[in-house]
Amino acid sequence: MISDPEGVRPLTVGNEGESDLALELETLRESVAHDFTTTESGIVPLDRRRSALTLGAVWLVLEAGWVYIFTGFALFQAGLSLLETTIDLVIGAAFYFAYSMVAAFIGSRSGQTHSLLSRSIFGLAGSGLISLVVFGVQMGWAGYQANLTAALFGGLYGWTAILAIGVVLGVVMVFNNLFGFTGLATYARYIVSPLLILWVIYLVIRGLLEGHITGRPPATVPLTQFAAIGTVLGAAVWGAEPDYWRYGKPKFWYPSLPLAFALTVGLIFSGLAGWTIANLSPSLDFGPAVGTATHLSLFGLTWLAFIVILITQVGINDGNYYESINAIQNLLGGLKRWKRFYSALICTAGAALAAWIIPYVISNGFYKLAAFTAIGVPSATVIMAVDHFVLPRVFHISRPLDRIPTWGQAGKINWAAVIALVVSVTFGSFATGLLGNNVSYWGFAPVETWIAAGGLYLLVVWITRALRPDVRSLLGFSTLVSQSEAESGSAVDIASPRVA
């Protein structure tokens, strides 16, 4: 059984804001050195957890801004009305909320990054594969965001060297991540979040007041309703949500209010802002349309638009770098004399390369990246949640997550998890049109893929258990877990007592 967490040490400082700032300063050295991403120090202690206010600010930054404005812009280009766009944004946010509650819970209960969790649950081969996928996907988004920033500047000032500017931005945007979660959280809470709340809400209100919001726009890039919702989900999903929520209190409902606020003010309002910009813009190219946004919400001041674009784009790219650095840390952090700084350097090179590949090499790169983001890493997260929370109750198979195995101690491969992941993602790739000749989504394709991943994992575990009573080798158990622990039927993690 999962018990209530105990032992969180409050800081004896004035109000909550002062406590959070004191905690950031106290953990700065840890954040720069390892940020709880290596075998020896990979679990965030309960006395290093952050407040809901800080995590809400971080998540608002990750779910608001120009990429979500572009998502709303794309829904206008797809010929969707304002009502249809609003419905699609709300449905996408609701599906993502349900998924992220589960992803956040396994992060807060274990205190581990997504990549470190995969080492315990998927074994050596599975963890290596997942870490590389996280790195690749987040580098794709980092490069896309850098190029989008360059395109926005091009729309403001007529700059033409978009590729070169995007590559340079892909390199310099990594700066905040040199300070780990502390750098990301401090920048999000004290700089970006207040700006985003005021700017996005004002932009939506002005756009709705000034534009003709009835009727259906002409479709220049058609999307079905299911594909539109899938695009919203792909933009909203991060996949490695445990990376952030491992800093939250290990209670299931703890992230509900921060997530609901961030998805409403961020994803939904940003999407609506994008639709209204497209509705008022003389151009259906997103770069030039930034002039319309500047007129609507920034009094036509291009210098102010430059500041807002740079601040918000750096904020959201912090998340892309953060997950990719954590993935590299899982792969290489155990090497002698390896530093987190080296992982950051690898990611700067990856982002610079992706700033060229995603917009210029891959046709419809945004839509394809969004589709794979929605089905890939989230399916692995669902499997890990099923392994930790469902297997103990259904099959009395327990995999304790209060210790992190080294690569030498980790199991070779969890065959059931890898099979479920590969089959479900293959299905999702056909369902979203990434593979085959499908031109429209098969219903709520990402959600169907997540359900398939969890269901297939349970099915394969049931078959494995029926064929072989001692399932530890086939399910990739580490050598740290004894047979009695594996058969305890308890979900053991940092916030629950160890069962003898």
Side-chain angles (χ1 to χ4, degrees):
M1 298 294 292
I2 300 173
S3 66
D4 291 330
E6 297 179 353
V8 178
R9 175 176 61 84
L11 291 175
T12 56
V13 187
N15 57 45
E16 187 182 76
E18 292 173 340
S19 298
D20 280 351
L21 183 58
L23 183 56
E24 301 299 353
L25 293 174
E26 182 179 338
T27 59
L28 180 60
R29 185 185 299 274
E30 294 167 331
S31 295
V32 173
H34 54 73
D35 199 41
F36 303 107
T37 56
T38 58
T39 305
E40 295 77 12
S41 54
I43 298 177
V44 178
L46 293 177
D47 62 359
R48 291 292 188 270
R49 304 301 175 94
R50 306 308 204 268
S51 70
L53 180 61
T54 293
L55 290 168
V58 169
W59 216 251
L60 174 61
V61 172
L62 300 183
E63 295 293 340
W66 289 99
V67 69
Y68 304 104
I69 291 175
F70 177 75
T71 301
F73 196 94
L75 297 186
F76 182 94
Q77 291 177 318
L80 302 183
S81 68
L82 179 61
L83 177 60
E84 290 171 327
T85 297
T86 303
I87 292 173
D88 291 347
L89 289 168
V90 171
I91 293 175
F95 279 134
Y96 179 63
F97 179 86
Y99 157 79
S100 57
M101 287 292 292
V102 176
F105 193 43
I106 192 171
S108 63
R109 294 291 304 187
S110 67
Q112 299 178 38
T113 67
H114 188 279
S115 297
L116 287 175
L117 279 169
S118 71
R119 190 192 301 179
S120 292
I121 297 174
F122 278 82
L124 291 174
S127 181
L129 172 64
I130 291 171
S131 295
L132 289 175
V133 170
V134 170
F135 172 77
V137 168
Q138 296 312 133
M139 284 296 89
W141 280 115
Y144 173 81
Q145 294 284 11
N147 185 267
L148 176 63
T149 307
L152 293 171
F153 290 154
L156 275 178
Y157 305 112
W159 295 347
T160 57
I162 304 301
L163 173 58
I165 297 171
V167 170
V168 172
L169 287 172
V171 173
V172 300
M173 281 181 164
V174 77
F175 178 75
N176 285 338
N177 268 278
L178 298 179
F179 305 98
F181 188 80
T182 291
L184 185 150
T186 303
Y187 185 75
R189 176 168 177 175
Y190 297 103
I191 299 177
V192 190
S193 291
L195 173 64
L196 279 172
I197 293 171
L198 296 174
W199 173 58
V200 170
I201 294 177
Y202 181 70
L203 178 56
V204 172
I205 293 173
R206 280 291 304 274
L208 294 178
L209 290 176
E210 292 197 12
H212 300 287
I213 59 176
T214 58
R216 181 186 297 273
T220 57
V221 185
L223 291 174
T224 66
Q225 286 289 343
F226 285 124
I229 294 171
T231 300
V232 172
L233 263 177
V237 167
W238 286 81
E241 283 79 5
D243 285 30
Y244 310 94
W245 292 105
R246 65 198 177 111
Y247 282 95
K249 294 181 181 179
K251 300 178 180 179
F252 180 79
W253 292 108
Y254 181 77
S256 58
L257 288 179
L259 277 170
F261 173 75
L263 291 173
T264 301
V265 178
L267 175 63
I268 295 175
F269 273 72
S270 293
L272 292 176
W275 192 96
T276 60
I277 290 172
N279 186 44
L280 292 169
S281 175
S283 171
L284 283 183
D285 290 330
F286 189 62
V290 71
T292 302
T294 303
H295 166 74
L296 283 176
S297 61
L298 299 172
F299 317 106
L301 302 174
T302 56
W303 63 267
L304 183 58
F306 180 91
I307 294 173
V308 170
I309 290 170
L310 187 61
I311 288 176
T312 55
Q313 285 297 96
V314 168
I316 195 170
N317 239 358
D318 279 349
N320 296 315
Y321 286 113
Y322 189 65
E323 290 187 11
S324 57
I325 290 172
N326 290 346
I328 295 298
Q329 283 290 94
N330 176 51
L331 295 173
L332 303 177
L335 296 178
K336 187 177 181 181
R337 297 182 181 178
W338 185 266
K339 298 181 180 179
R340 191 175 176 278
F341 175 74
Y342 302 152
S343 297
L345 288 180
I346 292 175
C347 291
T348 59
L353 182 62
W356 166 60
I357 292 177
I358 298 300
Y360 299 101
V361 176
I362 300 178
S363 175
N364 294 319
F366 169 79
Y367 296 99
K368 292 178 180 177
L369 183 60
F372 186 77
T373 301
I375 63 173
V377 181
S379 296
T381 308
V382 170
I383 289 171
M384 292 195 291
V386 169
D387 185 274
H388 187 58
F389 297 122
V390 180
L391 292 195
R393 296 176 181 273
V394 176
F395 299 120
H396 299 288
I397 297 174
S398 176
R399 192 189 310 265
L401 296 179
D402 57 345
R403 296 166 294 182
I404 300 174
T406 64
W407 284 104
Q409 296 167 333
K412 293 181 179 179
I413 185 173
N414 181 345
W415 285 105
V418 172
I419 290 172
L421 180 63
V422 171
V423 173
S424 61
V425 172
T426 301
F427 161 80
S429 297
F430 281 102
T432 59
L434 287 173
L435 295 177
N437 297 318
N438 179 37
V439 294
S440 63
Y441 274 48
W442 298 348
F444 298 114
V447 181
E448 295 163 10
T449 304
W450 305 342
I451 294 173
L456 280 171
Y457 185 51
L458 285 174
L459 175 62
V460 179
V461 169
W462 176 74
I463 295 173
T464 301
R465 186 168 176 267
L467 295 176
R468 186 171 182 174
D470 184 5
V471 298
R472 284 181 299 166
S473 60
L474 292 177
L475 295 186
F477 274 71
S478 74
T479 58
L480 295 177
V481 182
S482 66
Q483 184 169 351
S484 61
E485 289 175 321
E487 296 174 351
S488 68
S490 299
V492 179
D493 48 45
I494 187 177
S496 62
R498 170 165 289 279
V499 177

